[in-house]
Amino acid sequence: MIVGIINGYYRSGTTIFQRFVELCDPDAIVLCEPTQHEVVFHVMKYGCDNVHPLHGFKVFDGYLRLPKKTLRDFFERWLYFVHDEPNNHGIFTDPDDAIALLEPLHECPRRIVVKSTQLSLVLREVVEEFDCWCVHLTRPIENTVYDHFPDLQSFLTFSRRYDAIIPFYGDLVYTRIVGKFGVKHDLRKPIERLVFNVHFVNDYVNKIARSVEDITVLDFEKFVVNPDETIETLPFEADTKIASRVFDRNRIKPAPDVVKTIVHQIVKRLF
């Protein structure tokens, strides 16, 4: 059964937080991105039993731990509700589809935690349907945006262009948000769309978290720097010693001032 969800916008720290949960609760199966429309291709590229070259641990190992029937049933649903359904690419906007996709995992006798970057807009319905906890990770918006790029020059080049593709399926996310909520903005610059996506998603989850007790919004960077301060707010049995082993505060690099200025100017103009 699904007992928990790790959620957040792309580049919010969800993958390393996945590793933290795995070590804190070794009996649970933590599945990486079962809601993502290219997860099968990532699994085939990196393998379930191999250390991921970027993240430094076996990111997809959880799929190997699923009972065969659960794995088969889940991927049948994934083909129907994700692979063959373009409207569910990038981010989910239909809670019924998200729930139907995840049902085989909830029916599994093993305890399962889902790590996802696509559930933010249907989080209330999914959490209430499965009666599970959820930790939604946030970071300062300029850091999340900047972490989409390898360096400052890449960011600045992207910010000036009108024809760039937003990394991490950002164009799909923007299209889904506009379609679901009827947003009036007609944003033509990709940098504006990216900033809009991050701000909108986190603001949306913050609002629903006020009325859904099982959703915990966690400032990821503050937690990494000082886990003792907020570890008691986590809805699972968390260990500060494991936190200090998994998280490296030196890897948190604030966005340069020029990035912060550009991002905050866009936020002020849009919101």
Side-chain angles (χ1 to χ4, degrees):
M1 63 182 294
I2 295 174
V3 297
I5 296 172
I6 304 162
N7 189 71
Y9 195 83
Y10 300 91
R11 313 308 290 165
S12 292
T14 54
T15 305
I16 192 64
F17 202 84
Q18 168 190 332
R19 183 58 176 156
F20 176 58
V21 173
E22 287 175 347
L23 293 174
C24 288
D25 189 356
D27 290 332
I29 297 173
V30 185
L31 295 180
C32 181
E33 304 286 17
T35 53
Q36 213 253 45
H37 66 283
E38 291 187 340
V39 66
V40 169
F41 305 106
H42 290 302
V43 168
M44 292 173 67
K45 179 178 179 180
Y46 298 110
C48 291
D49 202 29
N50 296 322
V51 172
H52 194 284
L54 175 62
H55 299 294
F57 70 99
K58 296 179 180 180
V59 173
F60 300 111
D61 178 64
Y63 291 96
L64 291 178
R65 300 175 61 196
L66 288 174
K68 288 183 179 179
K69 181 181 185 305
T70 301
L71 189 64
R72 184 194 66 220
D73 292 349
F74 166 71
F75 276 118
E76 285 179 355
R77 296 282 184 101
W78 179 86
L79 286 168
Y80 183 81
F81 287 105
V82 185
H83 183 270
D84 294 338
E85 180 46 78
N87 288 329
N88 292 330
H89 293 186
I91 195 166
F92 270 79
T93 56
D94 186 332
D96 291 337
D97 280 4
I99 289 167
L101 168 69
L102 297 173
E103 272 177 349
L105 303 179
H106 193 58
E107 293 168 357
C108 176
R110 300 289 302 276
R111 295 167 57 253
I112 293 173
V113 176
V114 170
K115 177 265 186 185
S116 175
T117 47
Q118 295 85 37
L119 290 174
S120 295
L121 304 183
V122 297
L123 208 51
R124 177 200 295 273
E125 295 87 346
V126 171
V127 167
E128 290 178 346
E129 174 68 23
F130 297 132
D131 191 21
C132 63
W133 57 258
C134 172
V135 175
H136 176 79
L137 303 181
T138 65
R139 299 172 63 196
I141 186 169
E142 65 272 13
N143 292 354
T144 303
V145 170
Y146 184 59
D147 211 21
H148 279 64
F149 306 93
D151 51 44
L152 179 58
Q153 186 57 51
S154 298
F155 169 84
L156 293 175
T157 300
F158 177 86
S159 68
R160 299 185 189 108
R161 294 181 62 180
Y162 283 84
D163 59 346
I165 296 174
I166 306 173
F168 298 95
Y169 319 109
D171 296 285
L172 293 173
V173 174
Y174 177 75
T175 301
R176 305 287 172 262
I177 293 173
V178 171
K180 179 177 176 67
F181 296 96
V183 176
K184 301 298 182 183
H185 297 300
D186 181 19
L187 306 181
R188 300 186 179 182
K189 291 190 74 172
I191 184 60
E192 294 175 335
R193 292 185 174 199
L194 175 56
V195 172
F196 171 84
N197 290 351
V198 179
H199 186 282
F200 187 96
V201 163
N202 285 328
D203 187 57
Y204 183 84
V205 175
N206 272 314
K207 287 176 180 175
I208 65 172
R210 294 172 195 153
S211 58
V212 182
E213 186 179 354
D214 289 324
I215 298 177
T216 301
V217 178
L218 182 70
D219 186 315
F220 174 71
E221 294 187 7
K222 286 184 178 179
F223 179 72
V224 170
V225 171
N226 186 9
D228 289 327
E229 189 176 318
T230 51
I231 201 164
E232 293 299 325
T233 68
L234 294 178
F236 57 90
E237 215 170 299
D239 189 324
T240 52
K241 291 181 180 178
I242 293 176
S244 62
R245 209 165 77 230
V246 171
F247 302 113
D248 181 1
R249 66 180 65 187
N250 294 320
R251 292 189 64 180
I252 296 178
K253 300 189 187 314
D257 288 342
V258 63
V259 175
K260 187 173 182 179
T261 298
I262 291 171
V263 170
H264 282 229
Q265 284 176 345
I266 294 173
V267 171
K268 187 176 180 180
R269 188 165 68 252
L270 297 182
F271 298 97

PDB file of all heavy atoms in Angstrom, residues 182-198:
ATOM      1  N   GLY A 182      -6.945  27.963 -16.713  1.00  0.00           N
ATOM      2  CA  GLY A 182      -7.347  29.102 -17.522  1.00  0.00           C
ATOM      3  C   GLY A 182      -6.552  30.363 -17.221  1.00  0.00           C
ATOM      4  O   GLY A 182      -7.109  31.467 -17.197  1.00  0.00           O
ATOM      5  N   VAL A 183      -5.257  30.193 -16.993  1.00  0.00           N
ATOM      6  CA  VAL A 183      -4.398  31.329 -16.657  1.00  0.00           C
ATOM      7  C   VAL A 183      -4.375  32.328 -17.808  1.00  0.00           C
ATOM      8  O   VAL A 183      -4.296  31.946 -18.985  1.00  0.00           O
ATOM      9  CB  VAL A 183      -2.966  30.835 -16.351  1.00  0.00           C
ATOM     10  CG1 VAL A 183      -2.042  32.020 -16.085  1.00  0.00           C
ATOM     11  CG2 VAL A 183      -2.987  29.897 -15.155  1.00  0.00           C
ATOM     12  N   LYS A 184      -4.468  33.619 -17.474  1.00  0.00           N
ATOM     13  CA  LYS A 184      -4.576  34.662 -18.494  1.00  0.00           C
ATOM     14  C   LYS A 184      -3.231  35.049 -19.096  1.00  0.00           C
ATOM     15  O   LYS A 184      -3.181  35.642 -20.162  1.00  0.00           O
ATOM     16  CB  LYS A 184      -5.220  35.917 -17.884  1.00  0.00           C
ATOM     17  CG  LYS A 184      -6.613  35.675 -17.299  1.00  0.00           C
ATOM     18  CD  LYS A 184      -7.600  35.212 -18.344  1.00  0.00           C
ATOM     19  CE  LYS A 184      -8.989  35.023 -17.763  1.00  0.00           C
ATOM     20  NZ  LYS A 184      -9.943  34.495 -18.753  1.00  0.00           N
ATOM     21  N   HIS A 185      -2.129  34.741 -18.440  1.00  0.00           N
ATOM     22  CA  HIS A 185      -0.823  35.134 -18.943  1.00  0.00           C
ATOM     23  C   HIS A 185      -0.536  34.483 -20.302  1.00  0.00           C
ATOM     24  O   HIS A 185      -0.802  33.299 -20.504  1.00  0.00           O
ATOM     25  CB  HIS A 185       0.293  34.721 -17.975  1.00  0.00           C
ATOM     26  CG  HIS A 185       0.194  35.387 -16.648  1.00  0.00           C
ATOM     27  ND1 HIS A 185       0.243  36.745 -16.484  1.00  0.00           N
ATOM     28  CD2 HIS A 185       0.079  34.866 -15.396  1.00  0.00           C
ATOM     29  CE1 HIS A 185       0.136  37.037 -15.199  1.00  0.00           C
ATOM     30  NE2 HIS A 185       0.035  35.907 -14.523  1.00  0.00           N
ATOM     31  N   ASP A 186      -0.004  35.266 -21.210  1.00  0.00           N
ATOM     32  CA  ASP A 186       0.480  34.725 -22.483  1.00  0.00           C
ATOM     33  C   ASP A 186       1.987  34.938 -22.517  1.00  0.00           C
ATOM     34  O   ASP A 186       2.489  35.920 -23.045  1.00  0.00           O
ATOM     35  CB  ASP A 186      -0.204  35.434 -23.658  1.00  0.00           C
ATOM     36  CG  ASP A 186       0.263  34.870 -25.005  1.00  0.00           C
ATOM     37  OD1 ASP A 186       0.804  33.753 -25.004  1.00  0.00           O
ATOM     38  OD2 ASP A 186       0.091  35.556 -26.024  1.00  0.00           O
ATOM     39  N   LEU A 187       2.697  34.002 -21.908  1.00  0.00           N
ATOM     40  CA  LEU A 187       4.140  34.173 -21.723  1.00  0.00           C
ATOM     41  C   LEU A 187       4.883  33.589 -22.917  1.00  0.00           C
ATOM     42  O   LEU A 187       4.760  32.402 -23.217  1.00  0.00           O
ATOM     43  CB  LEU A 187       4.585  33.487 -20.429  1.00  0.00           C
ATOM     44  CG  LEU A 187       3.816  33.916 -19.176  1.00  0.00           C
ATOM     45  CD1 LEU A 187       4.352  33.185 -17.958  1.00  0.00           C
ATOM     46  CD2 LEU A 187       3.902  35.423 -18.978  1.00  0.00           C
ATOM     47  N   ARG A 188       5.665  34.426 -23.565  1.00  0.00           N
ATOM     48  CA  ARG A 188       6.360  33.980 -24.772  1.00  0.00           C
ATOM     49  C   ARG A 188       7.822  33.630 -24.508  1.00  0.00           C
ATOM     50  O   ARG A 188       8.405  32.834 -25.244  1.00  0.00           O
ATOM     51  CB  ARG A 188       6.256  35.070 -25.844  1.00  0.00           C
ATOM     52  CG  ARG A 188       4.808  35.359 -26.208  1.00  0.00           C
ATOM     53  CD  ARG A 188       4.668  36.311 -27.358  1.00  0.00           C
ATOM     54  NE  ARG A 188       3.267  36.538 -27.680  1.00  0.00           N
ATOM     55  CZ  ARG A 188       2.846  37.314 -28.676  1.00  0.00           C
ATOM     56  NH1 ARG A 188       3.725  37.925 -29.442  1.00  0.00           N
ATOM     57  NH2 ARG A 188       1.560  37.477 -28.891  1.00  0.00           N
ATOM     58  N   LYS A 189       8.411  34.225 -23.485  1.00  0.00           N
ATOM     59  CA  LYS A 189       9.805  33.901 -23.194  1.00  0.00           C
ATOM     60  C   LYS A 189       9.864  32.663 -22.302  1.00  0.00           C
ATOM     61  O   LYS A 189       9.192  32.598 -21.260  1.00  0.00           O
ATOM     62  CB  LYS A 189      10.514  35.073 -22.501  1.00  0.00           C
ATOM     63  CG  LYS A 189      10.730  36.275 -23.399  1.00  0.00           C
ATOM     64  CD  LYS A 189      11.647  37.302 -22.753  1.00  0.00           C
ATOM     65  CE  LYS A 189      13.083  36.825 -22.782  1.00  0.00           C
ATOM     66  NZ  LYS A 189      14.024  37.874 -22.330  1.00  0.00           N
ATOM     67  N   PRO A 190      10.658  31.684 -22.674  1.00  0.00           N
ATOM     68  CA  PRO A 190      10.759  30.463 -21.861  1.00  0.00           C
ATOM     69  C   PRO A 190      11.149  30.725 -20.404  1.00  0.00           C
ATOM     70  O   PRO A 190      10.657  30.032 -19.516  1.00  0.00           O
ATOM     71  CB  PRO A 190      11.842  29.663 -22.594  1.00  0.00           C
ATOM     72  CG  PRO A 190      11.735  30.106 -24.010  1.00  0.00           C
ATOM     73  CD  PRO A 190      11.404  31.568 -23.935  1.00  0.00           C
ATOM     74  N   ILE A 191      12.005  31.706 -20.145  1.00  0.00           N
ATOM     75  CA  ILE A 191      12.402  31.979 -18.761  1.00  0.00           C
ATOM     76  C   ILE A 191      11.199  32.413 -17.929  1.00  0.00           C
ATOM     77  O   ILE A 191      11.060  32.044 -16.764  1.00  0.00           O
ATOM     78  CB  ILE A 191      13.533  33.048 -18.691  1.00  0.00           C
ATOM     79  CG1 ILE A 191      14.000  33.247 -17.253  1.00  0.00           C
ATOM     80  CG2 ILE A 191      13.075  34.370 -19.302  1.00  0.00           C
ATOM     81  CD1 ILE A 191      14.559  32.023 -16.586  1.00  0.00           C
ATOM     82  N   GLU A 192      10.281  33.172 -18.549  1.00  0.00           N
ATOM     83  CA  GLU A 192       9.078  33.589 -17.836  1.00  0.00           C
ATOM     84  C   GLU A 192       8.195  32.387 -17.531  1.00  0.00           C
ATOM     85  O   GLU A 192       7.607  32.284 -16.448  1.00  0.00           O
ATOM     86  CB  GLU A 192       8.303  34.606 -18.669  1.00  0.00           C
ATOM     87  CG  GLU A 192       9.029  35.933 -18.856  1.00  0.00           C
ATOM     88  CD  GLU A 192       8.289  36.879 -19.785  1.00  0.00           C
ATOM     89  OE1 GLU A 192       7.511  36.399 -20.640  1.00  0.00           O
ATOM     90  OE2 GLU A 192       8.497  38.102 -19.650  1.00  0.00           O
ATOM     91  N   ARG A 193       8.112  31.463 -18.478  1.00  0.00           N
ATOM     92  CA  ARG A 193       7.296  30.264 -18.264  1.00  0.00           C
ATOM     93  C   ARG A 193       7.876  29.384 -17.155  1.00  0.00           C
ATOM     94  O   ARG A 193       7.133  28.835 -16.335  1.00  0.00           O
ATOM     95  CB  ARG A 193       7.197  29.462 -19.565  1.00  0.00           C
ATOM     96  CG  ARG A 193       6.405  30.166 -20.651  1.00  0.00           C
ATOM     97  CD  ARG A 193       6.235  29.281 -21.871  1.00  0.00           C
ATOM     98  NE  ARG A 193       5.350  29.897 -22.851  1.00  0.00           N
ATOM     99  CZ  ARG A 193       4.732  29.233 -23.818  1.00  0.00           C
ATOM    100  NH1 ARG A 193       4.918  27.931 -23.947  1.00  0.00           N
ATOM    101  NH2 ARG A 193       3.946  29.873 -24.659  1.00  0.00           N
ATOM    102  N   LEU A 194       9.181  29.252 -17.142  1.00  0.00           N
ATOM    103  CA  LEU A 194       9.827  28.441 -16.107  1.00  0.00           C
ATOM    104  C   LEU A 194       9.592  29.034 -14.724  1.00  0.00           C
ATOM    105  O   LEU A 194       9.214  28.322 -13.783  1.00  0.00           O
ATOM    106  CB  LEU A 194      11.322  28.317 -16.390  1.00  0.00           C
ATOM    107  CG  LEU A 194      12.163  27.593 -15.330  1.00  0.00           C
ATOM    108  CD1 LEU A 194      11.614  26.195 -15.054  1.00  0.00           C
ATOM    109  CD2 LEU A 194      13.625  27.521 -15.769  1.00  0.00           C
ATOM    110  N   VAL A 195       9.813  30.324 -14.587  1.00  0.00           N
ATOM    111  CA  VAL A 195       9.590  30.986 -13.297  1.00  0.00           C
ATOM    112  C   VAL A 195       8.122  30.858 -12.895  1.00  0.00           C
ATOM    113  O   VAL A 195       7.798  30.582 -11.730  1.00  0.00           O
ATOM    114  CB  VAL A 195      10.015  32.468 -13.363  1.00  0.00           C
ATOM    115  CG1 VAL A 195       9.602  33.207 -12.094  1.00  0.00           C
ATOM    116  CG2 VAL A 195      11.519  32.584 -13.585  1.00  0.00           C
ATOM    117  N   PHE A 196       7.230  31.053 -13.850  1.00  0.00           N
ATOM    118  CA  PHE A 196       5.797  30.917 -13.592  1.00  0.00           C
ATOM    119  C   PHE A 196       5.479  29.514 -13.067  1.00  0.00           C
ATOM    120  O   PHE A 196       4.744  29.353 -12.078  1.00  0.00           O
ATOM    121  CB  PHE A 196       5.014  31.194 -14.871  1.00  0.00           C
ATOM    122  CG  PHE A 196       3.550  30.872 -14.766  1.00  0.00           C
ATOM    123  CD1 PHE A 196       2.660  31.785 -14.226  1.00  0.00           C
ATOM    124  CD2 PHE A 196       3.066  29.645 -15.214  1.00  0.00           C
ATOM    125  CE1 PHE A 196       1.310  31.484 -14.123  1.00  0.00           C
ATOM    126  CE2 PHE A 196       1.710  29.341 -15.113  1.00  0.00           C
ATOM    127  CZ  PHE A 196       0.833  30.260 -14.573  1.00  0.00           C
ATOM    128  N   ASN A 197       6.015  28.485 -13.728  1.00  0.00           N
ATOM    129  CA  ASN A 197       5.754  27.108 -13.317  1.00  0.00           C
ATOM    130  C   ASN A 197       6.126  26.864 -11.861  1.00  0.00           C
ATOM    131  O   ASN A 197       5.331  26.334 -11.076  1.00  0.00           O
ATOM    132  CB  ASN A 197       6.570  26.136 -14.175  1.00  0.00           C
ATOM    133  CG  ASN A 197       6.094  26.042 -15.601  1.00  0.00           C
ATOM    134  OD1 ASN A 197       5.047  26.559 -15.959  1.00  0.00           O
ATOM    135  ND2 ASN A 197       6.891  25.384 -16.444  1.00  0.00           N
ATOM    136  N   VAL A 198       7.347  27.233 -11.497  1.00  0.00           N
ATOM    137  CA  VAL A 198       7.846  26.955 -10.150  1.00  0.00           C
ATOM    138  C   VAL A 198       7.011  27.700  -9.113  1.00  0.00           C
ATOM    139  O   VAL A 198       6.599  27.128  -8.089  1.00  0.00           O
ATOM    140  CB  VAL A 198       9.333  27.349 -10.024  1.00  0.00           C
ATOM    141  CG1 VAL A 198       9.831  27.082  -8.608  1.00  0.00           C
ATOM    142  CG2 VAL A 198      10.183  26.573 -11.033  1.00  0.00           C
TER     143      VAL A 198
END
